[in-house]
Amino acid sequence: MFAQQDSLVLKNENQIVGEVKSLKQAVVSMKTSYSDSDFKIEWDKITSIHTQTEFLITLESGLRYNATLKSKNEKEVFLLSQTDTLATVNLNEIVFFKEVKSNFLSNLDAAVSVGFNYTKAKDLSQLSVRSNLGYRAKYWELSANYNDVRSSQNETESVKRVDASIGYKYYLKRKWFLLAETSWLSNTEQNLNLRTLGKLGAGRYLIQTNSTYWGLQLGVSYNNENFEVEGLEISNNSAEAFLGTELNLYNIGDLSLLTRAAAYPSLTESGRWRLDYNLDVKYDLPLNLFVNFGLTLNYDNQPAENASETDYIFQTTVGWDF
């Protein structure tokens, strides 16, 4: 038996008792004494919730609370501190919650997926990796990702593409946030040894619900590039503005979709602009496994000499959330 007894009541009037762990992407995870694996329950199937656990809770309005949950009726929920009622909200206003823990590792979310192909003909091998890491606190969030594609074949020059980033968001009122991010890109298609990009800006979620997150971002960036042209290394620095958007759809069965796009008009190089685009379509499998289809595209209307304006990759990988 659990020391604590959280409870959920469903629309079919069934009651589940155990330990409520989180609400993420419109699905509640709950651990019980009579199952080896966590129950996954769609949030819109729940009519009542009572917890002893303190959660970090995000509302559709963008407000955040550290509180326990206690249903008032089938539509409303009290958000409670140890001494007071912090708010009374509708069930459908709650878009995210996760247990507040002092253990740093317990507050991390991570996923990694890998794909590998090998063909005997000309000894062709291809390795593909997509991964992400996140940490969410009450008013801020850290995120990181690393994607890698490498291909080698006899009598042919190896192909590689690596991109990575580390980002920080600080959440303000009314769905606004500040952001800072550093990213790195290297690819052979554009003769790009390394691009390091630093960004500062602000953004706002236009939609923040149990099925959809959609936001816009605006700011400035500093671009440091190192190209290889006919065996010579060429460096270039430039200042840019950026305008970005991000859309996350997840209450669509076992599928979820995350797409991002950012345009970078140069402030210091006449007529130059760039575009970065990412798409991830994820299909959930049992045991926290998933299949991921990924597309990454980079466009530069003024690339290095003899380099392509566009570089893109398609990745199909199998991975694990943990």
Side-chain angles (χ1 to χ4, degrees):
M1 295 294 293
F2 292 106
Q4 68 177 59
Q5 294 295 305
D6 302 332
S7 65
L8 301 175
V9 178
L10 311 184
K11 286 185 176 180
N12 62 9
E13 299 185 355
N14 286 343
Q15 182 175 6
I16 303 176
V17 177
E19 179 186 355
V20 175
K21 300 177 70 175
S22 67
L23 168 65
K24 184 179 180 182
Q25 298 186 349
V27 175
V28 177
S29 296
M30 188 173 192
K31 184 177 182 180
T32 67
S33 60
Y34 43 84
S35 175
D36 292 334
S37 58
D38 293 344
F39 278 91
K40 304 291 185 181
I41 306 155
E42 294 179 9
W43 184 239
D44 60 6
K45 300 297 192 297
I46 293 170
T47 61
S48 177
I49 180 170
H50 292 76
T51 74
Q52 298 178 13
T53 306
E54 182 183 17
F55 293 102
L56 166 60
I57 302 167
T58 301
L59 303 183
E60 187 175 316
S61 64
L63 293 175
R64 288 167 167 77
Y65 295 92
N66 282 3
T68 59
L69 299 103
K70 180 180 179 181
S71 285
K72 177 181 178 182
N73 51 49
E74 289 192 1
K75 293 185 178 180
E76 294 180 302
V77 181
F78 293 122
L79 305 185
L80 305 173
S81 69
Q82 293 183 352
T83 60
D84 197 8
T85 300
L86 303 177
T88 304
V89 301
N90 288 333
L91 269 172
N92 58 13
E93 290 184 69
I94 302 173
V95 297
F96 173 88
F97 61 71
K98 185 174 182 179
E99 184 178 357
V100 176
K101 295 184 177 180
S102 58
N103 183 351
F104 178 83
L105 293 178
S106 299
N107 292 309
L108 290 175
D109 290 313
V112 60
S113 58
V114 178
F116 181 75
N117 297 315
Y118 178 78
T119 304
K120 182 179 179 181
K122 294 189 178 182
D123 196 27
L124 171 64
S125 63
Q126 296 174 311
L127 174 66
S128 182
V129 177
R130 290 180 84 85
S131 62
N132 59 73
L133 179 69
Y135 183 94
R136 188 190 297 244
K138 185 175 182 179
Y139 293 114
W140 58 270
E141 178 180 0
L142 281 174
S143 61
N145 68 72
Y146 176 82
N147 304 318
D148 194 339
V149 176
R150 298 174 186 268
S151 177
S152 63
Q153 185 176 6
N154 286 345
E155 303 175 1
T156 303
E157 184 178 355
S158 296
V159 175
K160 68 175 183 177
R161 187 188 189 287
V162 179
D163 68 85
S165 70
I166 298 176
Y168 173 84
K169 288 181 181 178
Y170 185 83
Y171 295 104
L172 306 171
K173 295 181 179 180
R174 298 183 181 180
K175 304 181 186 180
W176 286 93
F177 57 86
L178 304 177
L179 68 93
E181 181 180 301
T182 302
S183 62
W184 299 268
L185 172 66
S186 173
N187 67 57
T188 52
E189 180 69 13
Q190 295 177 307
N191 297 334
L192 185 59
N193 290 336
L194 182 64
R195 170 181 292 142
T196 301
L197 185 69
K199 298 166 59 176
L200 289 173
R204 187 176 189 272
Y205 289 113
L206 304 181
I207 300 175
Q208 188 178 33
T209 70
N210 277 312
S211 61
T212 306
Y213 272 57
W214 178 43
L216 297 177
Q217 304 173 0
L218 178 68
V220 294
S221 59
Y222 180 75
N223 183 11
N224 178 271
E225 300 167 309
N226 184 273
F227 296 97
E228 185 171 332
V229 179
E230 297 180 352
L232 299 176
E233 289 192 1
I234 299 175
S235 296
N236 181 57
N237 300 316
S238 62
E240 302 169 322
F242 75 86
L243 174 64
T245 184
E246 177 176 306
L247 174 66
N248 193 352
L249 302 174
Y250 43 80
N251 194 8
I252 44 179
D254 293 325
L255 281 174
S256 59
L257 180 149
L258 175 63
T259 183
R260 302 184 182 96
Y264 300 89
S266 180
L267 301 176
T268 56
E269 295 179 281
S270 178
R272 186 185 182 191
W273 68 279
R274 301 185 302 103
L275 175 70
D276 293 340
Y277 177 75
N278 296 87
L279 170 68
D280 281 281
V281 179
K282 179 181 170 187
Y283 183 79
D284 290 326
L285 301 172
L287 304 175
N288 291 334
L289 297 173
F290 62 88
V291 177
N292 188 85
F293 168 79
L295 165 65
T296 305
L297 180 147
N298 302 100
Y299 174 81
D300 186 344
N301 75 329
Q302 295 181 14
E305 185 178 350
N306 300 323
S308 173
E309 290 184 349
T310 305
D311 178 50
Y312 58 87
I313 57 167
F314 296 92
Q315 295 172 273
T316 301
T317 54
V318 177
W320 180 43
D321 285 311
F322 55 94

